[in-house]
Amino acid sequence: MSVETKDRSMLLQKEMIAEHYRRLEQAPETGEPVVYTFVPGNLTELIRSFGALPVLPEINALQSAMRGKSQAYIAAAERSGHSEDVCSYVKCDLGMLRSGNVGPTGTRLPKPDLLLLSYTGCFTFMKWFELLREEYGCPTVFLHVPYQADGRETPEQRAYVTRQIREDLLPALEKVTGRRYDEDRLRESLATSASSEDDLVAVLESARRTPSPIDAYFGAVYYVGPIFSAFRGTEEGARYYAALRSEVEERASRGLGPLTPSGPLDSQKYRLVVEGPPNWTHFRDFWRMFSDEGAVVVASTYTKVGGTYDTGFRHDPGDPLGTLADYCSGCYTNLSLPARVEMLARYVREYSADGFLIHSVKSCNSFSAGQLTILREVERRTGAPGAFIESDLVDARYFSPANLKTRLESYFQMIDARRAGARA
Amino acid sequence: MSSRRAALVDWARAAAEDFEFAAAREWIGERPARKAAGYLPVYAPREVIRASGLLPVGVHGAGEQVEIIRGDAFYQSYICHLPRSVIELAQSGRLSFLSAMLFPSTCDVIRNLSGVWQLLYPDVYVRYLDLPQIFDPRLSLEFWAGEIRRLAADLGAISEAPATDATWREAITLQNRARALIRELYETRRDSPERIPTEELYLLLRAGEVVPVETFIEKMEEYLAATEDEPGPPRDRARVIVVGAFCEQPPLGLVKTIERAGCSIVDDDFLLGNRLLGEDVTLDGDPVLALAHAFLRNARATSTFYEPDPAAKRELMRRRLEAARADGIVFASASFCDPALLDRPMLRAGAEAAGIPCIAFQYAENTGQFQQFREQAGTFADSIKLWGGGQ
Ligand code: SF4
Ligand code: SF4
């Protein structure tokens, strides 16, 4: 892979993001309405069909951490009475707000005209937007997305969510934006989403090859960025995914691996499946702990929090509101533990992984509660060795490099020993 | 204390602290086909379980009584204590008499615990109860009524005694009576806290979670009658509300510590599910719709539910304080409890804006040291007595 082709999708993404934040900064002048919402269950196509711009607070929080700003923000929130025990994304966001609301690209974020509380797969979301509502005093719509406790979305759940969208959310969006609901526009956007989703799945599934042309965790968090945030269903988004796919396919055809902090990882010693979100405060150091050892991640669950497209779901322009309900319901953190186990076990098998690793973060009960049972169950079903490591999302106090490194090194040794045992 | 009352409190203590669940096992053993269904905090519609022929059994953790041997292998240190003690109860066989387990949508920990149960105990009927977060019946009545109907059908299949008009009527009547008695108990304590130490109130309520509702009603009636005969001497104490302990329960020692430090608890969130519905469920019409409506209309505002009205959220503490004629608020939450801890800054800001004195602390159900709480609560009580409360 040439450096130029690699740069094409990255560059495209950078430009898209910069332009989006520029528009957000100018929104108070241009009058473009702004809707804050969450990554899981984000209804980007719908928001944008009303001419509004989405803001995803989790993305701001993780970007703040990557830029080394989260600790000060968390400290500001804790000083104002927030507990050390709760999700650090929330505190990072509140701290950022109190520190002038300057977003990740250095531009100021506008106030929301609407908080779209898509309650999908995480209890904390509810409190987070109740807290933001106190700060902004803007209208808030609550979209209750039931949990897929029995491993599937039931027709009743679908009807419940669709009804809320139709009867509650659409009127609220019409009121806030001053525009009528335009179903044709939404359909068009959903069709664009589906094509980007095809491209993304092709990219993620390229990791079945050996060597894998991508890192499906550390690398893929960049790949899912546009589709998990403001760009699903947009032309820029579609261009990005087409470019990304051709880059990855080219890399695959040449038998090359991904670019990592340790350089190109063409020679891959360990193929891993990872469960749980990454740490963002030391993202590259963390990645390096893997890439230095020749470990590549071939599948991850974190890259499914904004949609589980690799199980076949595509946004369907033929049923615009129903498909949005289906989308929300299927986001990874809205899946039951048995469904998560099943997904991980399938990844281990289908991606020919040497093992799987759970990165458990202190912040997130939605991900973390039950992960030790997941560990045992996936080990039992696949026979692959599992490992369990812990840190946090954006609170650096819980990232202990020495511990993590030691833990990972012994895990890699364990895989080596298993291999030696299998050969003997 | 009269011997009658002492005997009632002893009975309640024995039932509340019995993590072998003898009362429930005994009830099951009385007839061959009898079964029981457990439920986690905060709210599960006990009427549905009862009408479907099963005994409802509240599983609220194991406090200080049960040593955690296996539970810690299931939960990381940064997750509250409740799920590890619940798993401990299950892994040690103490919950083996439950044919079904219901997991209300209280938080992500309980949500995921439902999945742990599905994985560990495939023979038990596991049900996640997705309580509506939207209280507008136009949007959520059909959904919630459907959930109740499905639950009743499933439980009826387990008991082989599906709910009938008669069992619905009986279950709703009994639960209405139990709620009325709980309301009366709370009102009595509010009006004369010297008559009802919170330790006794708590033990009775906790016992009510694990015994048949008829037994609970009988004991509550006796207890209330017994306290009428025995008004204690009014004392100069700070009247406080304990807010935030709705799921993982505080150790009894903590409750006693607060009251011994010069406070009278005049309202609280302990075992909140038993009075989450503030009014009777009607016996008219379709019982499922009646229960669903009662939840949507009457569910008490608490941290596990969405509050659509920001003003109501800000005023919640003041309203509760006034209703209980309290002087101050003690925010007591389980460590790592997302619903309580994320809500606390908002509730506290509302309280402080209304000039209400507040203190806050965290506990775990198995906390054994209370010195620090004693000092904090003592200073709080003194300052209220000296400077006055929020009224
Ligand atoms: S608790 Fe987890 S899913 Fe929820 S906001 Fe925090 S990190 Fe995201
Ligand atoms: S104590 Fe809090 S976090 Fe723990 S299970 Fe209960 S509600 Fe959830």
Side-chain angles (χ1 to χ4, degrees):
Chain A
M1 181 194 66
S2 68
V3 171
E4 299 81 63
T5 50
K6 159 94 187 155
D7 280 344
R8 204 163 38 135
S9 71
M10 278 300 252
L11 217 63
L12 218 53
Q13 178 167 165
K14 235 178 143 182
E15 281 166 12
M16 284 155 64
I17 290 174
E19 169 62 11
H20 183 65
Y21 279 101
R22 193 190 55 74
R23 273 174 79 177
L24 284 172
E25 184 177 39
Q26 291 171 357
E29 286 81 51
T30 59
E32 282 190 292
V34 174
V35 176
Y36 284 22
T37 196
F38 293 108
V39 170
N42 74 76
L43 303 181
T44 300
E45 300 88 346
L46 186 68
I47 293 170
R48 298 201 80 139
S49 77
F50 281 90
L53 298 172
V55 169
L56 290 302
E58 304 107 302
I59 308 256
N60 294 335
L62 71 89
Q63 297 266 4
S64 298
M66 287 175 109
R67 286 168 171 74
K69 296 199 183 304
S70 56
Q71 223 53 48
Y73 293 159
I74 290 169
E78 287 182 359
R79 272 198 305 277
S80 69
H82 289 271
S83 165
E84 194 181 323
D85 289 358
V86 301
C87 174
S88 55
Y89 272 177
V90 181
K91 290 180 285 185
C92 183
D93 189 43
L94 292 170
M96 182 179 90
L97 172 59
R98 302 229 161 93
S99 318
N101 227 10
V102 174
T105 55
T107 56
R108 191 174 294 277
L109 286 166
K111 291 182 175 168
D113 296 290
L114 180 75
L115 293 168
L116 198 182
L117 204 178
S118 176
Y119 184 63
T120 302
C122 165
F123 178 88
T124 298
F125 287 164
M126 184 205 300
K127 298 293 140 186
W128 191 343
F129 271 15
E130 282 185 353
L131 283 157
L132 284 196
R133 188 179 64 182
E134 280 301 297
E135 305 282 342
Y136 292 118
C138 66
T140 307
V141 175
F142 190 99
L143 180 70
H144 178 195
V145 177
Y147 181 54
Q148 278 200 15
D150 297 326
R152 66 187 178 95
E153 182 196 29
T154 66
E156 293 78 17
Q157 293 175 338
R158 187 176 204 262
Y160 176 45
V161 178
T162 310
R163 185 172 201 161
Q164 292 175 64
I165 297 176
R166 187 183 301 112
E167 295 183 21
D168 212 18
L169 179 56
L170 294 185
L173 281 165
E174 287 185 337
K175 194 164 170 207
V176 158
T177 63
R179 288 207 201 186
R180 302 281 302 166
Y181 168 54
D182 181 344
E183 193 153 283
D184 290 337
R185 199 168 167 196
L186 176 61
R187 283 181 205 275
E188 252 175 59
S189 176
L190 292 168
T192 308
S193 299
S195 103
S196 301
E197 289 155 7
D198 282 342
D199 289 337
L200 173 65
V201 171
V203 167
L204 296 176
E205 291 188 342
S206 71
R208 291 175 190 227
R209 305 172 69 113
T210 308
S212 169
I214 63 165
D215 184 289
Y217 185 53
F218 297 105
V221 297
Y222 292 101
Y223 306 158
V224 295
I227 209 163
F228 281 11
S229 59
F231 300 101
R232 204 179 59 223
T234 66
E235 286 307 320
E236 312 90 285
R239 269 199 303 280
Y240 167 80
Y241 282 101
L244 175 68
R245 181 176 182 169
S246 75
E247 270 173 28
V248 170
E249 283 174 351
E250 189 194 334
R251 211 147 67 210
S253 70
R254 298 170 60 191
L256 299 175
L259 199 60
T260 72
S262 326
L265 194 65
D266 300 336
S267 148
Q268 300 170 357
K269 212 166 151 201
Y270 309 104
R271 295 169 63 84
L272 302 178
V273 169
V274 174
E275 144 79 13
N279 162 274
W280 302 107
T281 54
H282 296 73
F283 183 78
R284 289 187 73 78
D285 297 342
F286 191 33
W287 189 353
R288 195 189 297 275
M289 290 180 199
F290 291 74
S291 54
D292 277 356
E293 299 286 338
V296 67
V297 180
V298 289
S300 66
T301 52
Y302 178 68
T303 49
K304 314 298 163 7
V305 290
T308 45
Y309 303 111
D310 65 336
T311 53
F313 171 79
R314 294 290 178 277
H315 281 90
D316 173 11
D319 179 8
L321 301 189
T323 201
L324 291 177
D326 297 339
Y327 159 72
C328 292
S329 180
C331 288
Y332 180 71
T333 44
N334 204 45
L335 305 184
S336 69
L337 249 63
R340 288 169 63 185
V341 165
E342 185 49 45
M343 183 185 273
L344 281 160
R346 181 170 65 80
Y347 285 164
V348 170
R349 283 193 305 269
E350 292 182 1
Y351 288 77
S352 317
D354 298 304
F356 69 97
L357 183 112
I358 295 182
H359 177 234
S360 184
V361 292
K362 172 185 172 287
S363 274
C364 184
N365 279 344
S366 176
F367 255 108
S368 305
Q371 275 177 328
L372 286 160
T373 304
I374 292 181
L375 175 79
R376 282 190 286 272
E377 198 57 27
V378 176
E379 266 185 336
R380 192 181 67 78
R381 288 191 196 184
T382 62
F388 201 86
I389 53 175
E390 299 172 294
S391 76
D392 191 45
L393 297 164
V394 297
D395 191 337
R397 288 174 293 187
Y398 301 97
F399 187 86
S400 161
N403 281 349
L404 289 167
K405 206 165 177 343
T406 315
R407 188 77 198 82
L408 284 170
E409 279 167 4
S410 45
Y411 178 55
F412 294 131
Q413 282 165 13
M414 180 164 97
I415 296 179
D416 289 339
R418 284 243 190 151
R419 278 184 187 151
R423 273 196 301 269
Chain B
M1 197 193 298
S2 72
S3 59
R4 187 160 138 237
R5 178 171 173 168
L8 284 163
V9 174
D10 286 348
W11 167 83
R13 191 184 306 277
E17 295 180 350
D18 173 19
F19 291 101
E20 303 296 332
F21 301 92
R25 286 175 189 272
E26 199 177 296
W27 182 88
I28 292 173
E30 279 168 13
R31 282 196 222 135
R34 276 188 169 172
K35 294 196 166 119
Y39 59 87
L40 272 280
V42 171
Y43 169 76
R46 290 172 59 102
E47 293 88 338
V48 185
I49 305 173
R50 167 71 193 225
S52 310
L54 291 99
L55 177 74
V57 177
V59 179
H60 299 275
E64 312 144 87
Q65 276 82 15
V66 174
E67 189 193 350
I68 305 296
I69 297 163
R70 307 161 185 87
D72 286 336
F74 288 83
Y75 285 96
Q76 302 91 310
S77 56
Y78 38 81
I79 289 173
C80 62
H81 201 269
L82 178 111
R84 70 194 78 223
S85 71
V86 171
I87 278 285
E88 185 68 40
L89 291 174
Q91 290 292 85
S92 60
R94 291 173 172 99
L95 300 180
S96 59
F97 67 101
L98 296 172
S99 306
M101 270 296 254
L102 314 184
F103 297 82
S105 53
T106 299
C107 70
D108 294 335
V109 172
I110 290 184
R111 183 195 74 171
N112 289 5
L113 186 58
S114 71
V116 171
W117 228 267
Q118 287 169 322
L119 291 166
L120 294 182
Y121 312 109
D123 296 336
V124 175
Y125 169 77
V126 173
R127 183 64 198 284
Y128 178 72
L129 281 179
D130 224 326
L131 303 171
Q133 287 288 355
I134 309 248
F135 291 87
D136 177 351
R138 183 179 52 94
L139 296 171
S140 55
L141 180 67
E142 194 180 311
F143 171 73
W144 182 227
E147 291 285 289
I148 295 176
R149 227 169 247 125
R150 188 156 68 96
L151 176 65
D154 290 353
L155 291 177
I158 293 169
S159 68
E160 297 178 40
T164 62
D165 284 351
T167 61
W168 273 118
R169 177 167 281 275
E170 182 193 43
I172 293 176
T173 306
L174 286 167
Q175 212 54 51
N176 279 344
R177 177 69 188 138
R179 274 189 291 264
L181 288 164
I182 293 169
R183 280 199 298 274
E184 193 184 331
L185 183 67
Y186 270 76
E187 281 159 17
T188 310
R189 183 185 60 169
R190 181 196 63 202
D191 295 342
S192 6
E194 65 284 353
R195 266 169 57 186
I196 315 259
T198 299
E199 179 186 6
E200 293 182 14
L201 170 142
Y202 181 81
L203 288 170
L204 278 158
L205 297 188
R206 187 80 188 239
E209 293 293 306
V210 294
V211 300
V213 62
E214 292 91 336
T215 311
F216 176 64
I217 289 170
E218 184 195 313
K219 300 287 183 190
M220 279 285 277
E221 284 170 345
E222 282 185 42
Y223 178 80
L224 284 164
T227 59
E228 261 169 37
D229 308 339
E230 285 187 52
R235 280 187 283 169
D236 178 27
R237 295 158 76 84
R239 295 169 59 92
V240 302
I241 307 182
V242 178
V243 172
F246 44 79
C247 179
E248 181 174 319
Q249 296 297 292
L252 202 53
L254 176 55
V255 173
K256 288 194 277 189
T257 298
I258 295 172
E259 294 213 319
R260 282 185 191 148
C263 298
S264 285
I265 300 174
V266 289
D267 188 18
D268 60 61
D269 293 342
F270 309 144
L271 302 164
L272 186 63
N274 65 20
R275 58 198 180 285
L276 195 96
L277 305 188
E279 287 171 23
D280 281 356
V281 178
T282 177
L283 287 161
D284 297 335
D286 178 352
V288 170
L289 284 179
L291 262 178
H293 260 302
F295 176 80
L296 296 179
R297 263 202 313 263
N298 288 319
R300 274 175 67 143
T302 183
S303 301
T304 61
F305 297 133
Y306 177 60
E307 171 54 74
D309 176 6
K313 178 124 217 161
R314 266 174 247 133
E315 285 161 16
L316 181 61
M317 292 298 99
R318 183 181 54 75
R319 280 196 286 118
R320 281 187 70 177
L321 186 102
E322 286 172 1
R325 299 192 300 277
D327 304 311
I329 293 178
V330 176
F331 288 100
S333 327
S335 293
F336 302 106
C337 176
D338 281 353
L341 293 171
L342 287 159
D343 226 19
R344 183 192 278 181
M346 286 181 277
L347 298 177
R348 188 165 184 166
E352 288 179 345
I356 300 169
C358 304
I359 50 166
F361 47 70
Q362 288 175 217
Y363 62 82
E365 58 176 351
N366 63 341
T367 303
Q369 295 293 325
F370 304 111
Q371 180 59 24
Q372 164 210 349
F373 302 126
R374 184 166 17 253
E375 281 162 19
Q376 231 183 320
T379 313
F380 188 56
D382 290 345
S383 78
I384 284 176
K385 282 185 268 177
L386 199 58
W387 307 108
Q391 295 221 70

